[in-house]
Every structure is written in structure tokens, then in C-alpha cells.
Amino acid sequence: MFLDSADEETWNAWLPTGMFTGVTTNPAILERDGVECSVESLSELARNALEFDAVTEFQVQTWGEDSDEMWKNGIALAKRDPDAIVVKVPATLEGIKAANALVADGVRVTITAAYAPHQVLIAASIGANYVAPYLGRMNDAGRDGM
């Protein structure tokens, strides 16, 4: 299980329990928890998360106006610890192009914000390590998330 938070106070309460093997964030979580969305800030956040004994992965979302910028930020994020950091990339056309390039460069990738089965197939076809479907949002939209 992953703790979906960028709040270190929440981490200090829950990560020592050992029930979470990873931490995951995204721009909305960063904003909610008052964390700057920058390579430097996220690298520090990753370092802090990975200091907890049970935490073996830190999932962090890249950002950018196009696939090149998403790739560049993803490379910079993964550089800190390529074995433990997984770069989340949105399931958009530009995101898939960036994810494909990141995978080709040996970066571990999660395709996030997946809403449809074809997005899962695309993620598998490029060699993504994970897919993060937004089941709650699908259900909220009147679809069957499962």
C-alpha cells in the first residue's frame, strides 16, 4: 500500500506502522499539503520518505506543457534514486510520449489518471511498471470504476 500524502506530519504518524511500503504524490496533493512542485523540493521529499524503514518506493508525478518537458522533469526526479523513485505520468497523448521516452531511458513509470481500458493497454505496451486508475472519479462520473 502507498500513503497518498506529501505531509510529513502524516508520514510520521503512519509510516512507522509498516503498513505502507511507499509514498505517492501528485500536483493536487502537493498543493493541498503546501509543498512546492519543483525538482529540488520533490527530491528532498523523496529523500525524507525513503528514510522510513518500510518505504521502498516513492511515486512522484512529472509535469510540463509537452512531452519533452515532462520527460526532462521525470529524468531529473528519477535521478535521485532510480531504483526507488517511480515517475507518474498522466495518461494523455503527451504523457504517453513522455512515459515511453522515460521507460526507454530506464526510468520506472506509473501511468496515472487512467479512466479507460485502452489506457491500461497503452501503459502495458510501453512497458510502464504501474497503472493508477481513478476508480473514485469514474464512480463519481456515473461509471463503474471496477
Side-chain angles (χ1 to χ4, degrees), residues 7-145:
D7 177 51
E8 293 191 50
E9 191 172 303
T10 301
W11 293 3
N12 290 330
W14 289 101
L15 293 177
T17 67
M19 41 191 260
F20 298 97
T21 61
V23 172
T24 183
T25 67
N26 63 40
I29 291 170
L30 296 172
E31 184 176 337
R32 177 195 74 198
D33 293 342
V35 176
E36 178 187 7
C37 187
S38 69
V39 170
E40 296 77 23
S41 176
L42 295 171
S43 293
E44 178 70 12
L45 201 65
R47 185 185 66 74
N48 294 344
L50 292 166
E51 286 181 358
F52 287 90
D53 290 337
V55 176
T56 60
E57 286 187 350
F58 183 77
Q59 295 212 15
V60 59
Q61 188 166 327
T62 188
W63 66 94
E65 294 294 317
D66 58 29
S67 61
D68 289 337
E69 190 175 0
M70 283 188 249
W71 171 84
K72 179 182 144 199
N73 288 326
I75 289 290
L77 292 167
K79 187 183 296 186
R80 186 199 174 298
D81 190 338
D83 293 327
I85 293 177
V86 180
V87 177
K88 294 167 59 174
V89 185
T92 63
L93 179 59
E94 290 300 304
I96 295 299
K97 289 193 287 188
N100 186 53
L102 287 166
V103 168
D105 287 332
V107 174
R108 298 176 68 221
V109 168
T110 294
I111 299 300
T112 191
Y115 292 95
H118 74 274
Q119 291 171 314
V120 176
L121 292 173
I122 291 169
S125 74
I126 66 165
N129 300 81
Y130 298 100
V131 177
Y134 282 14
L135 301 180
R137 289 188 189 169
M138 285 185 257
N139 290 336
D140 291 346
R143 296 175 58 198
D144 180 6

